[in-house]
Amino acid sequence: MQLLDGKAISSQIKSEIKTEVEQWVATGGKKPHLAAILVGQDGASETYVASKIRSCEEIGFTSTLLRFEADITEEKLLEAVESLNNDPDVDGFIVQLPLPKHISENTVMEAVNPAKDVDGFHPINVGRMCKGLPAYISATPFGILEMLTRAGIETSGKHCVVIGRSQIVGLPMSILMQRNTYPGNATVTITHSKTQNLKEICQSADILIVALGRPEFVKADYVKEGAVVVDVGITRVADATKKSGFSIKGDVDFNDVAPKASFITPVPGGVGLMTICGLLTNTFKAAKKEIYK
């Protein structure tokens, strides 16, 4: 078993971006500027946004955080989105999900200028990705592709099973893995909560990507010997032995599955760190106007 170490790979990618940014600025380019909108006080979102801002500082980006109370109206939030759309200094921005239940996430995502949609959630960017056109790839799928690439994992002709069909991970991941490129050219099966014989389907996977949101759901008997296992899940589970009162668990029972896997991602220290790299990469592309001229 080899570890797909998100900490080591993300550190390498951030170092590469930092060098490129220094060269970009030295030749007259503007420092890339990433903004984030955070609504309410969700603990996981707070941690994630703080990590994004810290990463921006590390690699030479400008960052801005706009905070709003959980009771903000949808109209006011849309005004904030439009303000960032019209700010020429902001290259890209994200609206941190989840949003409070009284706000439509789809409405907010569609209000973001596709040229500044560095999360890759806007229907135009999703459509461009599906067509194989230049697009901002959703940050988590981008991070997974980078992990597979840098580990030199063969994907062509392999059976890739994706557990989960979310618009953020499962759906784009299934599309990306079947593209005529590398990583890609896999035969993809996408599964979900209504899938029958899920265990049997997973047992046939050469590459198993799990984005279910159920801690330690996948056990060793789901996994074929020598499979590549990518765990996207990240859930806080109560743990009295920890000072924080909780442990972070993935969707895969790591200790049970690892002995059977050829490659596996840990949680924490895996895909989550790579997601931030995807966001930083997209923001730099936005600053350079690589996707939208």
Side-chain angles (χ1 to χ4, degrees), residues 9-88:
I9 299 172
S10 64
S11 178
Q12 181 183 10
I13 292 172
K14 286 195 284 190
S15 178
E16 292 168 0
I17 297 174
K18 181 179 180 179
T19 299
E20 289 184 40
V21 169
E22 288 171 351
Q23 294 170 349
W24 169 257
V25 172
T27 55
K30 180 183 76 67
K31 284 180 68 173
H33 186 171
L34 173 66
I37 292 177
L38 180 60
V39 180
Q41 272 111 33
D42 177 77
S45 293
E46 290 269 3
T47 301
Y48 190 41
V49 169
S51 182
K52 290 172 180 175
I53 291 171
R54 190 165 56 249
S55 294
C56 284
E57 293 170 353
E58 289 174 9
I59 65 171
F61 282 18
T62 299
S63 63
T64 299
L65 174 60
L66 301 181
R67 287 180 171 272
F68 297 99
E69 296 298 325
D71 60 357
I72 186 176
T73 64
E74 185 175 288
E75 181 183 12
K76 287 293 184 184
L77 184 57
L78 290 172
E79 287 176 6
V81 168
E82 190 59 20
S83 175
L84 291 176
N85 282 340
N86 295 327
D87 187 338

Side-chain angles (χ1 to χ4, degrees), residues 239-247:
D239 185 346
T241 68
K242 301 288 186 181
K243 186 177 179 180
S244 61
F246 63 85
S247 294

Side-chain angles (χ1 to χ4, degrees), residues 199-251:
K199 184 185 292 186
E200 288 77 7
I201 294 170
C202 291
Q203 288 169 344
S204 70
D206 302 302
I207 301 169
L208 181 62
I209 300 172
V210 191
L212 187 64
R214 293 175 62 180
E216 299 188 327
F217 175 85
V218 172
K219 306 292 185 182
D221 58 353
Y222 276 70
V223 179
K224 179 169 75 171
E225 194 74 39
V228 176
V229 181
V230 178
D231 188 353
V232 183
I234 182 163
T235 304
R236 291 184 176 189
V237 176
D239 185 346
T241 68
K242 301 288 186 181
K243 186 177 179 180
S244 61
F246 63 85
S247 294
I248 301 296
K249 299 290 186 182
D251 290 347

Side-chain angles (χ1 to χ4, degrees), residues 18 22 39 43 75 112 115 120 152 155 170 195 197 221 243 252 265 275:
K18 181 179 180 179
E22 288 171 351
V39 180
E75 181 183 12
V112 177
T155 60
T195 299
N197 304 319
D221 58 353
K243 186 177 179 180
V252 175
T265 60
T275 297

